[in-house]
């Protein structure tokens, strides 16, 4: 199973962009890259996923390196409600393989 | 439209006992996955059910078993509980036809404490 590596924690200020990096050098060519986040006392919540090209949705953007060995989740304007643990996830079959994630703190 | 629901919210058991956790998937979803999340860790995949059969399993012992019913709801059973089974148990539902990139919707979890 492919392994993902993320920084343990990151800090941001409200209204500023946030770039959350992830390394997944062993990912296979057909595995999607998923990002989920988990707010305190809640289950994980889908953020975005992609395969090769960059992806955008109402929550975030996902920039995938050309060699697919890394990706970056971009929150365009952080809010206090974005404070959470962000997981960059590989997959084995249809199972999601979580790492320890990055704890994002947002200050006003 | 209700999302994924799980019951009970909290549960306290003693070592050696057996426990059953329940999950109702999001409306229209046919696939249910179960995850275990220890304190301070990311969720770990236990198994996935589709068409009432276990389709994929993570690295968990046979003490962990499950079931999916015709209405797509699911149960997770854990026998001979150990202290290390204390965790948040998460259920996630999805559409199998969504393929490898399909989004999984998680419930709020059941907090199991084993004393």
């Amino acid at each position: 199973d492919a392994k993902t590596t993320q920084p343990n924690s990151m800090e941001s200020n409200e209204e500023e962009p946030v770039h959350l990096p992830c390394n997944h050098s062993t990912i296979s060519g057909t595995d999607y890259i998923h990002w989920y986040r988990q707010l305190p006392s809640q289950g994980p919540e889908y953020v975005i996923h992609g395969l090769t090209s960059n992806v955008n949705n109402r929550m975030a953007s996902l920039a995938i390196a050309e060699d697919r060995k890394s990706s970056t989740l971009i929150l365009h304007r952080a809010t206090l409600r974005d404070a959470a643990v962000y997981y960059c996830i590989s997959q084995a079959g249809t199972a999601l393989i979580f790492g320890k994630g990055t704890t994002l703190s947002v200050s006003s | 439209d209700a999302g994924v629901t799980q019951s009970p919210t909290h549960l306290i058991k003693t070592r050696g006992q057996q426990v059953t956790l329940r999950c109702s998937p999001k409306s229209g979803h046919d696939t249910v996955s179960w995850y275990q999340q220890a304190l301070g860790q990311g969720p770990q995949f236990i198994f996935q059910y589709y068409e009432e059969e276990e389709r994929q399993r993570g690295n968990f012992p046979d003490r962990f078993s499950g079931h999916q019913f015709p209405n797509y709801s699911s149960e997770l059973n854990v026998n001979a509980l150990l202290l290390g089974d204390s965790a948040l148990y998460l259920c996630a539902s999805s559409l199998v036809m969504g393929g490898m990139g399909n989004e999984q919707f998680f419930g709020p979890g059941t907090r199991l404490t084993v004393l």
Side-chain angles (χ1 to χ4, degrees):
Chain A
D1 299 343
K3 186 176 179 181
T4 59
T5 304
Q6 300 176 253
N8 289 334
S9 62
M10 291 187 65
E11 296 180 354
S12 174
N13 294 316
E14 217 175 357
E15 302 297 316
E16 290 185 355
V18 180
H19 291 233
L20 297 166
C22 178
N23 288 318
H24 33 76
S25 58
T26 60
I27 197 170
S28 79
T30 57
D31 283 348
Y32 282 82
I33 300 154
H34 303 257
W35 284 81
Y36 281 70
R37 71 180 185 181
Q38 188 170 21
L39 279 66
S41 302
Q42 294 187 25
E45 171 189 36
Y46 169 82
V47 178
I48 201 167
H49 75 276
L51 187 60
T52 54
S53 51
N54 296 343
V55 184
N56 300 293
N57 65 21
R58 63 175 181 81
M59 288 183 69
S61 296
L62 177 60
I64 303 171
E66 199 170 329
D67 61 8
R68 287 184 25 95
K69 293 186 176 183
S70 65
S71 62
T72 301
L73 178 70
I74 303 164
L75 307 179
H76 295 287
R77 293 179 67 187
T79 70
L80 296 177
R81 290 174 295 179
D82 291 323
V85 179
Y86 286 78
Y87 295 100
C88 170
I89 295 167
S90 62
Q91 54 183 112
T94 53
L96 300 177
I97 308 302
F98 289 77
K100 293 186 177 181
T102 296
T103 300
L104 175 65
S105 303
V106 180
S107 303
S108 57
Chain B
D1 173 29
V4 178
T5 59
Q6 293 187 243
S7 62
T9 305
H10 296 87
L11 203 53
I12 298 175
K13 292 286 188 178
T14 57
R15 281 177 295 175
Q17 285 189 311
Q18 178 265 343
V19 68
T20 297
L21 311 181
R22 296 175 175 82
C23 171
S24 291
K26 181 178 169 63
S27 177
H29 283 185
D30 55 10
T31 301
V32 173
S33 303
W34 286 92
Y35 294 81
Q36 179 195 66
Q37 185 172 27
L39 207 59
Q41 304 295 316
Q44 281 195 287
F45 174 73
I46 303 175
F47 43 52
Q48 183 180 81
Y49 277 83
Y50 169 66
E51 290 187 329
E52 302 179 48
E53 290 189 11
E54 184 182 292
R55 298 292 179 168
Q56 191 171 351
R57 188 179 183 93
N59 188 25
F60 278 80
D62 291 344
R63 299 187 296 110
F64 289 77
S65 63
H67 188 78
Q68 186 180 34
F69 299 93
N71 67 353
Y72 307 123
S73 67
S74 176
E75 287 182 349
L76 164 66
N77 300 293
V78 186
N79 294 323
L81 284 167
L82 304 173
L83 294 179
D85 295 332
S86 295
L88 180 68
Y89 287 85
L90 295 160
C91 169
S93 73
S94 57
L95 268 174
V96 72
M97 296 307 295
M100 301 289 264
N102 67 317
E103 176 182 352
Q104 294 194 17
F105 290 79
F106 283 81
T110 294
R111 172 71 62 188
L112 172 65
T113 302
V114 182
L115 302 177

